[in-house]
Amino acid sequence: MRLTIIGCSGSFPGPNSPASCYLLSAEHQGRTWRIILDLGNGALGPLQQHIPLETIDMVCLSHLHPDHYMDLCGLHVAVRWRPDGWPAERIPVYGPAGTDQRLAAAYGMDPDPGMHQDFSFNTWTPRQPVTVGPFTITPVPVRHPVAEPYALRVDCAEDDGTVRTLTYSGDTDTCPGLTEAAQDADLFLCEAAYQDERDEHFEGIHLTGARAGEAAAEAQVKRLLLTHIPVWTDPQTLIHHARDSYEGHLSVAVSGVTYTV
């Protein structure tokens, strides 16, 4: 399984990265499967530097804040208005309840039919796995001030029989669901939007570097990759404080970089 960081800027696109968007790809049964975790604003352009849009097998949304879903509006245009027609079937989109209505409202469309001609909308059921190709995605409720925020645990069955696990925190503060979703993960892609000392008094919205490190240590993950870092937050401060509790491999996500899980 490969993880490509399309966008990792927290809350809005930064000068060096779009907002949240992560491409997972894996070989299985003679072809490459590709899923997208979140498609935040600014991500659709850089995504095309890595894959043709028609090769997306599924889009998985952690929650419905614009920096995590808004570029689905652009993907709708690509599907609907491609001059030679879209060569694939409707793209499956999994997200919180009301994802279809939120997208229609964002684009100023009547929700009936909205974007249903382009996307096959599906609602997450907490802890109920969804499988596409080699990927099994399990949504686990977490702690963020929006309806139905989820961490996404992705298990990938390799052709040699091994299973690799990536957990994406979505947006969350410390909570039991985050530890549950990340338990024993090979790679923990974890948000750390709040800077230690400066923001640590805020509760129930985002993690600091220290709280991300504590979650990674509690879940015993093999690798911690900090992400969703706003332009005003210092990555080195996050790493320093995460290291207080987490002893494993630790780094910061960089847009355009591909990691092997």
Side-chain angles (χ1 to χ4, degrees):
M1 173 166 54
R2 297 177 301 279
L3 163 68
T4 301
I5 309 296
I6 305 300
C8 53
S9 182
S11 301
F12 60 93
N16 300 311
S17 174
S20 296
C21 182
Y22 309 94
L23 167 65
L24 292 182
S25 57
E27 307 303 319
H28 181 63
Q29 296 181 343
R31 81 168 181 91
T32 302
W33 293 78
R34 300 178 175 94
I35 64 173
I36 308 297
L37 307 182
D38 284 343
L39 193 57
N41 42 338
L44 193 63
L47 177 61
Q48 294 171 80
Q49 296 174 9
H50 298 274
I51 62 168
L53 296 180
E54 61 269 21
T55 64
I56 297 172
D57 290 297
M58 182 183 291
V59 177
C60 305
L61 302 180
S62 64
H63 66 289
L64 294 179
H65 276 155
D67 60 316
H68 293 261
Y69 81 88
M70 187 56 76
D71 267 25
L72 271 166
C73 290
L75 185 57
H76 149 74
V77 174
V79 174
R80 175 61 27 200
W81 298 107
R82 178 172 164 148
D84 55 351
W86 191 253
E89 297 181 357
R90 292 183 301 161
I91 300 173
V93 174
Y94 280 78
T99 296
D100 56 342
Q101 298 178 40
R102 182 71 64 86
L103 279 166
Y107 206 76
M109 304 173 71
D110 188 321
D112 184 15
M115 298 183 185
H116 283 268
Q117 294 172 310
D118 311 309
F119 303 133
S120 173
F121 289 101
N122 304 271
T123 299
W124 293 124
T125 298
R127 299 178 178 85
Q128 180 172 308
V130 173
T131 297
V132 57
F135 299 108
T136 298
I137 306 99
T138 304
V140 180
V142 288
R143 183 185 177 200
H144 192 59
V146 65
E148 295 188 39
Y150 293 102
L152 302 176
R153 183 181 178 93
V154 182
D155 296 308
C156 180
E158 307 284 347
D159 284 340
D160 64 4
T162 61
V163 175
R164 301 293 182 186
T165 300
L166 176 146
T167 295
Y168 169 45
S169 68
D171 282 4
T172 183
D173 201 350
T174 303
C175 64
L178 181 63
T179 307
E180 174 189 340
Q183 192 66 50
D184 298 319
D186 294 288
L187 192 152
F188 185 21
L189 181 62
C190 184
E191 75 114 287
Y194 281 163
Q195 186 165 309
D196 299 274
E197 285 114 17
R198 185 192 68 196
D199 305 319
E200 61 189 20
H201 60 286
F202 291 112
E203 289 285 337
I205 305 174
H206 292 293
L207 295 163
T208 61
R211 298 202 290 257
E214 290 164 1
E218 183 178 358
Q220 299 182 310
V221 305
K222 296 179 180 64
R223 185 176 186 182
L224 173 60
L225 189 60
L226 300 178
T227 191
H228 197 273
I229 301 174
V231 296
W232 49 64
T233 293
D234 177 21
Q236 293 307 311
T237 298
L238 301 178
I239 289 176
H240 173 74
H241 285 275
R243 183 56 78 195
D244 289 342
S245 357
Y246 180 68
E247 298 179 352
H249 190 285
L250 170 63
S251 56
V252 171
V254 176
S255 180
V257 174
T258 296
Y259 304 82
T260 299
V261 181

